Amino acid sequence: FSFTLLQAARSAWRLLLCSGRRKPASATAAESGSPRAYRLTVTELGDLIRFLLLVLNFGLVAAFFDDSRVYHYIRRESFLKLYVIFNMLEMFERWCRSVGVDLFDLMMASARQPLRHLLPKYVATLAYCFVHSTMHLLRVLLLHVAFNTSSSAVFLIITTNNFAEIKSCVFKRYEAKSLFPIVTSDIVERFYLLADILFVLAHSSIPTNRGACTSLDLTFLIFLLVLLEIGTDWIKFCLIFKFSDLPASTLEVYKEVLMADILVCRCAHPGSRAVGWASKLQANAPFRGIHSFSHSLQRRLGFSGVPMTAIVIFHFLMLAKSPCRTLLT
């Protein structure tokens, strides 16, 4: 979604340029799905749909999510409730990621259908984006409360979650195919961890949101958080590979598959210059020309860009308004 704004602007400009052209002479041409029946290509139509979805999702989050009220509500709760809420949010967020990928595919597959067929799928996808963005904002505020309340709270929450993750994954036999979703899920979780750290730093940089935690304590807790997460992944996958008798070269195969997802979507002619894993994956590259070139990779990882992009914009605006709030107080 780095180029969503540019792609949507290009599509809107082409729509304005084509607005004066004549429509198809007959309704048969429009129903047949020929290129002349539409003013925009399917790629440009998909760009506009994703951009409008991003704008509406951010508008809903900014209108209905009060971060200060939620922050003070969470701050009054005990450590046990913080631990339970954190685990529930992590579990539901994994479920949202799996459902969100299917909803985006269903919506984009209906891009050329009549509005009465596209609108229900669009509303369902928008509702998912709002729920996912709200849940991730709750997770960020929960970490912020844990940082400001007590250093031991953060340590206990992260440590117990890591031990639970190791317990649920090890001592089981996996095949190379069944282990791949676990690896991709960990990739997304590490990205979310990095984003959450940046969001917590953004909240802590506002003078009115600073708690008892000093800058040195915050740096130490962030370093401890990253170290625990990386150490947990190393221990977990070492035990999984040991009990499953999998070679270490399996990780290289996973890397080639993820790289092939990007290369396949960039190929101009499917099947022309594919080698290795790419030749096996080209037949399974869905929505070519509708989504961006990285959609196959996002789809395999289970990552949705609209909720995370809305959260990033939300925090940018929060930082932009913070000097005004400080002067008023």
Side-chain angles (χ1 to χ4, degrees):
F1 281 87
S2 302
F3 301 99
T4 300
L5 181 60
L6 297 177
Q7 293 170 346
R10 180 195 62 184
S11 302
W13 176 252
R14 188 176 183 277
L15 181 62
L16 291 175
L17 291 179
C18 298
S19 59
R21 295 182 181 179
R22 295 185 305 171
K23 296 182 180 180
S26 61
T28 308
E31 295 176 356
S32 61
S34 60
R36 296 182 180 179
Y38 301 98
R39 296 175 179 174
L40 294 177
T41 63
V42 65
T43 304
E44 294 166 341
L45 187 60
D47 294 337
L48 288 177
I49 289 176
R50 290 197 301 272
F51 178 73
L52 183 60
L53 187 68
L54 175 61
V55 172
L56 293 177
N57 180 44
F58 171 74
L60 290 176
V61 172
F64 294 101
F65 189 85
D66 190 352
D67 55 337
S68 60
R69 180 177 297 180
V70 175
Y71 173 82
H72 290 290
Y73 174 79
I74 297 176
R75 192 179 178 88
R76 294 195 301 264
E77 303 299 328
S78 62
F79 166 75
L80 183 60
K81 288 186 177 180
L82 292 180
Y83 174 73
V84 173
I85 293 174
F86 190 86
N87 281 275
M88 290 178 61
L89 289 175
E90 188 175 0
M91 179 184 64
F92 280 110
E93 194 168 18
R94 291 181 180 179
W95 177 79
C96 282
R97 292 204 307 261
S98 62
V99 173
V101 174
D102 296 333
L103 285 175
F104 269 96
D105 290 346
L106 186 64
M107 180 189 67
M108 299 308 298
S110 307
R112 283 290 180 84
Q113 294 181 1
L115 184 62
R116 64 178 182 273
H117 296 296
L118 175 62
L119 188 59
K121 302 170 186 177
Y122 193 88
V123 172
T125 309
L126 179 61
Y128 149 74
C129 292
F130 174 71
V131 171
H132 194 175
S133 300
T134 305
M135 291 177 61
H136 202 94
L137 280 173
L138 288 174
R139 179 179 174 179
V140 172
L141 291 177
L142 185 63
L143 284 177
H144 189 207
V145 170
F147 275 117
N148 287 338
T149 304
S150 173
S151 58
S152 60
V154 181
F155 180 78
L156 288 176
I157 289 176
I158 301 302
T159 304
T160 50
N161 282 334
N162 289 338
F163 274 109
E165 184 178 357
I166 293 176
K167 181 182 177 182
S168 62
C169 294
V170 301
F171 307 114
K172 298 178 182 178
R173 292 192 63 88
Y174 293 91
E175 297 180 356
K177 186 176 181 179
S178 60
L179 183 61
F180 189 52
I182 300 178
V183 175
T184 56
S185 178
D186 284 343
I187 293 174
V188 177
E189 288 179 4
R190 295 297 81 78
F191 175 77
Y192 281 166
L193 174 64
L194 177 61
D196 291 344
I197 290 175
L198 296 178
F199 295 152
V200 170
L201 290 177
H203 280 278
S204 302
S205 64
I206 300 176
T208 56
N209 291 343
R210 290 177 182 173
C213 188
T214 63
S215 300
L216 184 60
D217 295 335
L218 186 63
T219 304
F220 172 74
L221 289 175
I222 290 175
F223 175 77
L224 182 63
L225 175 63
V226 174
L227 185 63
L228 284 174
E229 291 291 337
I230 295 176
T232 300
D233 286 343
W234 274 89
I235 295 173
K236 179 178 70 176
F237 284 108
C238 285
L239 293 176
I240 287 177
F241 275 78
K242 176 179 175 58
F243 285 102
S244 302
D245 294 329
L246 292 175
S249 58
T250 307
L251 297 177
E252 292 293 332
V253 176
Y254 296 163
K255 179 182 177 181
E256 292 179 2
V257 171
L258 296 177
M259 292 174 61
D261 284 333
I262 298 179
L263 297 177
V264 164
C265 291
R266 283 182 172 272
C267 289
H269 304 285
S272 58
R273 291 175 293 177
V275 293
W277 280 92
S279 61
K280 300 179 182 179
L281 295 174
Q282 280 192 340
N284 299 322
F287 301 101
R288 288 177 56 89
I290 301 179
H291 282 289
S292 59
F293 70 90
S294 61
H295 174 69
S296 294
L297 179 61
Q298 295 180 8
R299 197 169 183 267
R300 194 178 295 276
L301 294 176
F303 175 77
S304 297
V306 171
M308 184 57 65
T309 308
I311 297 174
V312 172
I313 299 174
F314 181 85
H315 283 87
F316 268 118
L317 293 181
M318 180 191 66
L319 290 176
K321 295 178 181 179
S322 59
C324 300
R325 291 181 180 177
T326 304
L327 290 176
L328 288 176
T329 54

